[in-house]
């Protein structure tokens, strides 16, 4: 009887430790921008449209927009951000989202799934330290917040946006 009680107690302790350790590990899990974007796409998907919006933090209705329809150009834009390292966080402090930057950028990517239907997801770059990735549809990861853990320059995104805007007009 005593051996059985010890065995049951041991199993309970292991289950409790696993129940605490696994969520802590997952919350600290690092990923990359490339992994998160390709998680929304498959090999048969075709890139349709990338809409990049530059939104002022003071007046969100005074946004500028660039639309890219060429799949090669969309791939180039996605390659620029492929090495961004991310760490999932539960919440981003809203007051610090646009800290020190007058603008934030919202990318909306539409992909054609296996020539049957179009699916969209978006990426919002708040500043050099915070990004959100969201799905246009209700999926397992409808909205996720991330902290950028390596060097990322929002100024580079500003330069690219201005170049695209000038090239478009």
């Amino acid at each position: 009887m005593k051996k059985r009680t010890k065995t049951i107690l041991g199993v309970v302790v292991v289950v409790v430790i696993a129940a605490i350790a696994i969520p802590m590990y997952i919350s600290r899990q690092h990923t990359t921008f490339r992994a998160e974007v390709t998680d929304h796409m498959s090999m048969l998907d075709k890139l349709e449209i990338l809409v990049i919006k530059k939104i002022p933090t003071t007046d969100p209705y005074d946004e500028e927009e660039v639309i890219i329809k060429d799949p090669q150009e969309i791939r180039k834009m996605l390659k620029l951000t492929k090495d961004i390292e991310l760490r999932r966080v539960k919440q981003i402090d809203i007051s610090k989202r646009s800290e020190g930057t007058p603008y934030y950028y919202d990318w909306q990517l539409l992909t054609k799934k296996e020539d049957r239907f179009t699916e969209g997801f978006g990426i919002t770059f708040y500043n050099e330290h915070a990004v959100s990735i969201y799905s246009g549809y209700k999926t397992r990861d409808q909205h996720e917040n991330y902290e950028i853990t390596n060097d990322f320059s929002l100024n580079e995104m500003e330069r690219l946006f201005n170049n695209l805007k000038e090239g478009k007009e």
Side-chain angles (χ1 to χ4, degrees):
M1 183 77 168
K2 212 172 197 183
K3 186 175 182 179
R4 184 175 178 195
T5 305
K6 286 182 183 180
T7 305
I8 292 172
L9 186 60
V11 169
V12 168
V13 168
V14 168
V15 168
V16 168
I17 290 173
I20 293 170
I22 291 172
M24 285 177 60
Y25 171 75
I26 291 171
S27 70
R28 301 273 184 226
Q29 188 177 22
H30 285 265
T31 186
T32 62
F33 184 82
R34 174 184 272 178
E36 291 302 314
V37 169
T38 56
D39 188 36
H40 290 273
M41 296 171 28
S42 72
M43 294 298 286
L44 300 175
D45 294 352
K46 294 179 182 172
L47 298 169
E48 291 283 310
I49 297 173
L50 174 62
V51 178
I52 302 174
K53 295 181 181 180
K54 179 181 176 182
I55 305 169
T57 55
T58 54
D59 184 11
Y61 298 108
D62 188 28
E63 63 188 35
E64 296 178 59
E65 183 178 284
V66 173
I67 298 174
I68 304 171
K69 293 183 179 179
D70 179 24
Q72 295 301 330
E73 282 295 315
I74 296 172
R75 280 190 188 86
K76 282 183 193 175
M77 292 301 292
L78 291 173
K79 278 184 183 179
L80 296 171
T81 57
K82 70 179 169 76
D83 293 328
I84 296 175
E85 294 176 5
L86 304 170
R87 183 172 62 95
R88 188 168 292 161
V89 294
K90 291 190 182 207
Q91 281 185 323
I92 296 175
D93 186 3
I94 294 172
S95 64
K96 293 183 181 179
R97 278 186 174 177
S98 56
E99 189 174 274
T101 57
Y103 300 98
Y104 63 94
Y105 293 89
D106 187 56
W107 291 18
Q108 296 170 355
L109 182 64
L110 294 174
T111 57
K112 185 113 180 179
K113 294 284 191 185
E114 301 171 12
D115 285 331
R116 292 187 292 168
F117 61 94
T118 303
E119 183 179 88
F121 69 95
I123 306 122
T124 304
F125 296 93
Y126 295 107
N127 58 32
E128 295 176 342
H129 308 291
V131 66
S132 291
I133 298 176
Y134 58 92
S135 176
Y137 301 96
K138 292 186 181 209
T139 59
R140 65 180 171 80
D141 54 353
Q142 183 178 5
H143 186 86
E144 292 289 337
N145 296 313
Y146 297 93
E147 175 185 358
I148 298 173
T149 60
N150 63 341
D151 292 334
F152 169 70
S153 175
L154 208 58
N155 293 333
E156 181 68 17
M157 193 171 293
E158 171 82 18
R159 186 185 67 73
L160 288 169
F161 182 84
N162 290 334
N163 288 345
L164 286 169
K165 188 104 174 128
E166 290 170 9
K168 178 185 157 192
E169 295 177 349

